[in-house]
Amino acid sequence: MNRRFWKQFAIALALFLAGYFTFNSKAFSQTVEKPKVSIAVGGKNLFYYLPLTIAEQLGYFKEEGLQVEISDFAGGAKALQALVGGSADVVSGAYEHTINMQAKGQPITAFVLQGRAPQIVLGVSNKTMPNYKSVADLKGKKIGVTAPGSSTNMMANFVLAKAGLKPSDVSFIGVGASAGALSALRSGQIDAISNLDPVITMLQQKNEIKVVADTRTLKDTNEVFGGPMPAATLYASEAFLKKNPNTAQALTNAMVRALKWIQKAGPSDIIKVVPESYLLGDRALYIEAFMKVREAMSPDGMFPEAGPRTALKALQAFEPDLAGKSIDLSKTFTNEMVKKANAKYH
């Protein structure tokens, strides 16, 4: 009797341990390869990057087993430089950079979409250009962008190109994405500004700019670009994504959760989560700005099928180097990780 008991106990224990190690090896295989991840971003306070801030502030990265360090730069071009230079693993930045970098032989891939409209607004100063009539009037003028080469610069270039102007017909000046941008316009250092909310809504509220082109809604974005235009993404080098698939999936999971949270959140919920400094001293204005860009946030992180083609066409309008290059758009983005994240957080 005693011997039978111990025999059964030994079998039960063996089965338990076999199950335990099988389960744990499965869990282990899903662990992130790189628990510490550095993300570069250009203008973190902007609504353009709100999903990144929400994922960070609500602890979604931590819950995915990640310790994320976010470095904030003056604009997207600077964030891209950090990735190329090796000081950042991932960038929270504009999709267009994936196309430009492929043309330069440095492939990067966007793996989750934060915004389905760029949210960038080009406006002229009512102070220095009170008699503005058309985009042609910008010839020889100074245009403030977050940083030269950033998506704000690209959008301005595209609007100029549609009016027959080249990037060299104007002067672009980097003014950042917060207080510096406001003071540059107010002091007359720049004649026009290509920037995002909450900066733009602040200038509009005080009637300091006249809006020339607006991409805060899907309708306006279609009018400017002629189709859906992918905006903020998370992107990384092909090498990083191949080496760290579980890490990239964990980042995607956190971002998709943040996007779904934003869809259900009210303006007061947003204000409770974002750092006080983002409000630029005016809560009511921040809420007003959020309502203007809410539609621009991606509901699920998926890249629209026609989006990459729209972006390529826009870039080719003002970048002669791209005109003769063969770009494989399928390598500039992937929806694979987003699909898995949506299955997890449906």
Side-chain angles (χ1 to χ4, degrees), residues 256-257 260 264 299-300 338-346:
V256 167
R257 270 185 86 185
K260 290 182 181 291
K264 294 173 185 168
D300 54 13
V338 175
K339 285 174 187 169
K340 288 178 187 169
N342 275 286
K344 185 174 181 179
Y345 297 112
H346 50 75

Side-chain angles (χ1 to χ4, degrees), residues 113-168:
L113 184 70
Q114 296 180 66
R116 53 184 179 166
Q119 304 174 37
I120 301 167
V121 176
L122 177 65
V124 297
S125 167
N126 287 332
K127 182 179 182 175
T128 70
M129 297 188 72
N131 302 316
Y132 171 86
K133 294 282 185 296
S134 73
V135 175
D137 296 341
L138 287 169
K139 189 167 185 175
K141 301 295 183 184
K142 294 173 184 165
I143 302 178
V145 293
T146 52
S150 295
S151 55
T152 49
N153 197 159
M154 292 183 208
M155 190 268 201
N157 280 342
F158 182 67
V159 175
L160 292 172
K162 287 207 312 188
L165 295 179
K166 298 189 294 292
S168 55

